[in-house]
């Protein structure tokens, strides 16, 4: 059976992912009272790679419904050392050994990459606690920070609550409590995702991993709703696939073919997706490169 090129784990892929936010905070900065992250020099909004990968981690298990292969390693409420020790126990490897045989190392790491989808895709640091001999796994999937197409002007909203946190405040006659939250009125963000086939071979990435990754990117904002984040929507996913593991062209020469431009009155700030036009130059692609438009 022939595998569609964009699902082939044996070849390199370079991707462009577009998403937007309306009246929400896509990624707050704890160093600035949770204000939306920004490039302070240019004013462009930022969403970190960590935030994007967190949403993928949260969505993959829902889409897969297969805990034996799509469990998540970096998960709230679960200690990493405990999960790392499990592979040593399951495979009867002594955790006290400072150096493992090549066979023991392969067995322990393969158990982790098979069970945990985020290790298989993003890699992980494994040399903590009693598992220092496991080293680390370099993931085949690398995600960049997302940057807004236009500068953003975050807005701070003061809000009130009709009850107090403590009884003492109520006894003093206070009736409301003040708070606040930040939002971005509108922003369209662009991130790039790169897949290394050589590393994917090492971690055991397969065709279903790609199917679920693309599905998660398309639908992950639907499973991450909150009043703080406003409305977030996937707007574009373009996959440039090579016909070999090394690649046929530099990544930037491909990802730069996806262009986003303002439409209409550019003197007015953008407030919705139709304020932009997305175009893709798919003419005269380098030999051996194909493009798949999964969200367009």
């Amino acid at each position: 059976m022939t595998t569609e090129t964009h699902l082939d784990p044996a070849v390199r892929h370079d991707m462009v992912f577009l998403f937007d936010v309306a009246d929400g905070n896509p990624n707050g900065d704890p160093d600035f009272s949770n204000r939306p992250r920004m490039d302070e020099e240019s004013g462009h909004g930022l969403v970190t790679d960590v935030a994007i990968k967190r949403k993928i981690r949260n969505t993959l298990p829902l889409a897969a419904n297969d805990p034996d292969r799509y469990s998540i390693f970096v998960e709230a409420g679960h200690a990493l050392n405990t999960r790392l020790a499990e592979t040593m126990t399951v495979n009867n490897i002594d955790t006290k050994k400072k150096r493992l045989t090549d066979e023991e190392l392969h067995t322990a790491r393969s158990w982790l990459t098979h069970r945990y989808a985020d290790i298989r895709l993003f890699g992980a640091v494994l040399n903590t606690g009693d598992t220092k001999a496991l080293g680390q796994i370099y993931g085949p999937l690398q995600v960049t920070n997302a940057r807004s197409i236009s500068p953003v002007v975050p807005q701070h909203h003061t809000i009130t609550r009709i009850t107090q946190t403590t009884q003492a405040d109520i006894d003093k006659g206070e009736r409301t409590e003040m708070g606040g939250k930040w939002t971005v009125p509108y922003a369209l963000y662009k991130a790039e995702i790169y897949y290394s086939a050589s590393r994917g071979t090492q971690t055991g990435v397969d065709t279903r991993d790609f199917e679920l990754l693309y599905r998660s990117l398309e639908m992950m904002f639907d499973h991450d709703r909150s009043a703080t984040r406003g409305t977030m929507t996937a707007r574009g996913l373009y996959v440039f696939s090579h016909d070999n593991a090394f690649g046929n062209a530099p990544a930037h020469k491909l990802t730069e073919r996806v262009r986003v431009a303002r439409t209409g009155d550019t003197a007015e700030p953008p407030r919705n997706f139709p304020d932009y036009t997305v175009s893709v130059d798919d003419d005269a692609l380098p030999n051996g490169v194909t493009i798949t438009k999964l969200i367009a």
Side-chain angles (χ1 to χ4, degrees):
M1 183 176 66
T2 302
T3 300
E4 293 183 74
T5 306
H6 69 288
L7 299 175
D8 188 352
V11 301
R12 200 183 100 194
H13 304 280
D14 303 306
M15 313 171 203
V16 174
F17 179 49
L18 302 176
F19 63 92
D20 63 5
V21 62
D23 297 320
N25 186 350
N27 187 204
D29 188 341
D31 287 333
F32 287 91
S33 302
N34 210 44
R35 188 190 71 176
R37 294 183 189 272
M38 292 175 57
D39 178 333
E40 298 297 330
E41 292 185 322
S42 69
H44 288 84
L46 298 173
V47 175
T48 67
D49 63 304
V50 175
I52 296 171
K53 288 188 288 188
R54 177 74 271 151
K55 289 174 174 55
I56 296 172
R57 282 186 170 100
N58 290 345
T59 310
L60 266 175
L62 299 177
N65 193 27
D66 180 4
D68 288 336
R69 182 159 172 81
Y70 290 93
S71 290
I72 296 300
F73 180 65
V74 181
E75 188 176 24
H78 296 271
L80 301 184
N81 285 354
T82 301
R83 291 189 159 178
L84 290 172
E86 186 178 6
T87 188
M88 309 294 271
T89 301
V90 167
N91 293 294
N92 299 312
I93 301 172
D94 185 0
T95 59
K96 303 300 182 184
K97 294 179 68 172
K98 293 184 178 181
R99 186 176 182 84
L100 303 182
T101 66
D102 289 343
E103 182 179 356
E104 289 173 329
L105 183 60
H106 176 75
T107 298
R109 288 160 64 101
S110 295
W111 187 90
L112 289 167
T113 55
H114 176 82
R115 182 174 181 83
Y116 295 113
D118 54 338
I119 295 182
R120 195 161 61 248
L121 293 174
F122 304 132
V125 175
L126 311 178
N127 54 352
T128 64
D130 294 329
T131 60
K132 290 183 173 55
L134 291 180
Q136 69 183 81
I137 293 175
Y138 294 96
L141 209 64
Q142 300 300 320
V143 182
T144 68
N145 285 352
R147 176 178 290 268
S148 68
I149 303 302
S150 304
V152 299
V153 181
Q155 298 180 4
H156 186 264
H157 309 275
T158 300
I159 57 179
T160 60
R161 189 173 64 192
I162 62 171
T163 189
Q164 279 60 50
T165 303
T166 68
Q167 182 64 40
D169 290 336
I170 294 176
D171 294 341
K172 287 189 295 184
E174 297 182 8
R175 293 291 179 264
T176 59
E177 200 160 80
M178 308 297 288
K181 70 175 184 178
W182 288 93
T183 64
V184 172
Y186 181 81
L188 177 63
Y189 292 83
K190 175 185 176 182
E192 296 178 4
I193 304 172
Y194 309 110
Y195 171 77
S196 166
S198 58
R199 289 182 178 176
T201 299
Q202 294 171 7
T203 63
V205 173
D206 61 18
T207 297
R208 189 169 184 233
D209 290 338
F210 271 102
E211 292 174 343
L212 293 171
L213 171 66
Y214 297 144
R215 189 178 178 196
S216 295
L217 287 169
E218 181 178 11
M219 301 182 65
M220 64 187 183
F221 298 122
D222 292 332
H223 297 277
D224 192 52
R225 302 290 188 191
S226 79
T228 300
R229 277 184 283 278
T231 302
M232 296 185 68
T233 308
R235 294 296 188 179
L237 179 57
Y238 307 90
V239 184
F240 295 91
S241 301
H242 304 252
D243 64 3
N244 60 79
F246 184 74
N248 304 80
H252 72 276
K253 291 189 175 182
L254 302 176
T255 57
E256 287 174 356
R257 287 172 172 262
V258 179
R259 303 184 181 101
V260 184
R262 278 297 311 275
T263 58
D265 185 0
T266 57
E268 293 294 324
R271 285 296 180 265
N272 51 58
F273 185 58
D275 287 338
Y276 292 96
T277 297
V278 180
S279 61
V280 183
D281 178 9
D282 53 8
D283 292 331
L285 286 169
N287 290 334
V289 175
T290 58
I291 182 172
T292 305
K293 304 172 185 177
L294 295 175
I295 307 173

